Amino acid sequence: MKIRPANSADAVLLAELERTQPRAAGWGKQGFEGELAQKCAYILCAQEAEKLVGFVAARFAADMAEILNVAVHPKYVRCGIAKRLLQETEQYLKQHKIQTVTLEVAQDNTPAYQCYISLGFKPLHTRKDFYGPGKDAAVMGKNL
Ligand SMILES: CC(C)(COP(=O)(O)OP(=O)(O)OC[C@H]1O[C@@H](n2cnc3c(N)ncnc32)[C@H](O)[C@@H]1OP(=O)(O)O)[C@@H](O)C(=O)NCCC(=O)NCCS
């Protein structure tokens, strides 16, 4: 499996991969094109043969970054792909003098929540009804 930064030619494949995971952010092709055009954005993807099987998208400014979108194809979950992508994203951010990373995750999204916990993210506070009535978000953070 190859881990590499995504580029503008990957927007279609990233959107296809994102569609396999309804709990991803739902950017679609245009959303990925917009992100890939940003200087302060970084998308790292995992490629198996010709297929993209995972990605992590982050934005950064000054000394802070936010993880905005993460997905691993359902056939490839629990193989350590998200962990590897997030760890390598953290390395990239560190090299760019980023000190703090934050993210939002639905409180009931156990796979994602546990994945972030396993990487040392701590819950900071709760955003009530962030994803709709009764659907709270946990804001999590980590110092690099
Ligand atoms: C969340 C997601 C990205 C995890 O990807 P993954 O590649 O399966 O994660 P990893 O295999 O790297 O797992 C890392 C750790 O996360 C935790 N984890 C992952 N899936 C889990 C699950 N189903 N239940 C409990 N813990 C889980 C475990 O601690 C795991 O470490 P372990 O396998 O050594 O126990 C994937 O499930 C996904 O795409 N979900 C839908 C999209 C989504 O929710 N995005 C995040 C929105 S904030």
Side-chain angles (χ1 to χ4, degrees):
M1 180 156 320
K2 186 173 161 191
I3 304 285
R4 62 166 176 85
N7 60 59
S8 55
D10 294 315
V12 171
L13 291 180
L14 285 166
E16 276 173 15
L17 165 58
E18 187 193 40
R19 269 200 300 278
T20 67
Q21 284 289 11
R23 302 207 80 162
W27 285 352
K29 176 176 169 275
Q30 281 192 333
F32 279 105
E33 281 171 347
E35 255 340 88
L36 288 161
Q38 298 286 335
K39 278 203 177 110
C40 58
Y42 184 64
I43 303 181
L44 196 62
C45 59
Q47 183 172 349
E48 181 69 26
E50 295 308 304
K51 198 176 158 183
L52 293 190
V53 296
F55 69 83
V56 167
R59 276 232 190 172
F60 52 96
D63 62 351
M64 296 188 68
E66 189 171 359
I67 304 292
L68 295 175
N69 198 358
V70 181
V72 171
H73 190 283
K75 283 190 183 153
Y76 291 81
V77 291
R78 287 319 282 267
C79 301
I81 295 174
K83 205 166 185 171
R84 199 169 149 203
L85 286 168
L86 284 159
Q87 283 170 334
E88 294 203 16
T89 299
E90 284 179 13
Q91 288 308 318
Y92 173 88
L93 294 172
K94 257 186 177 170
Q95 285 160 12
H96 287 74
K97 312 264 184 266
I98 304 301
Q99 294 182 8
T100 313
V101 186
T102 59
L103 58 87
E104 269 146 15
V105 56
Q107 205 101 58
D108 65 353
N109 187 349
T110 305
Y113 188 88
Q114 290 303 329
C115 182
Y116 302 135
I117 290 284
S118 77
L119 284 160
F121 282 84
K122 304 266 186 263
L124 301 176
H125 56 268
T126 301
R127 288 197 175 133
K128 197 120 188 72
D129 300 331
F130 187 77
Y131 296 107
K135 294 177 183 165
D136 299 344
V139 177
M140 305 181 83
K142 175 177 180 178
N143 294 326
L144 297 181

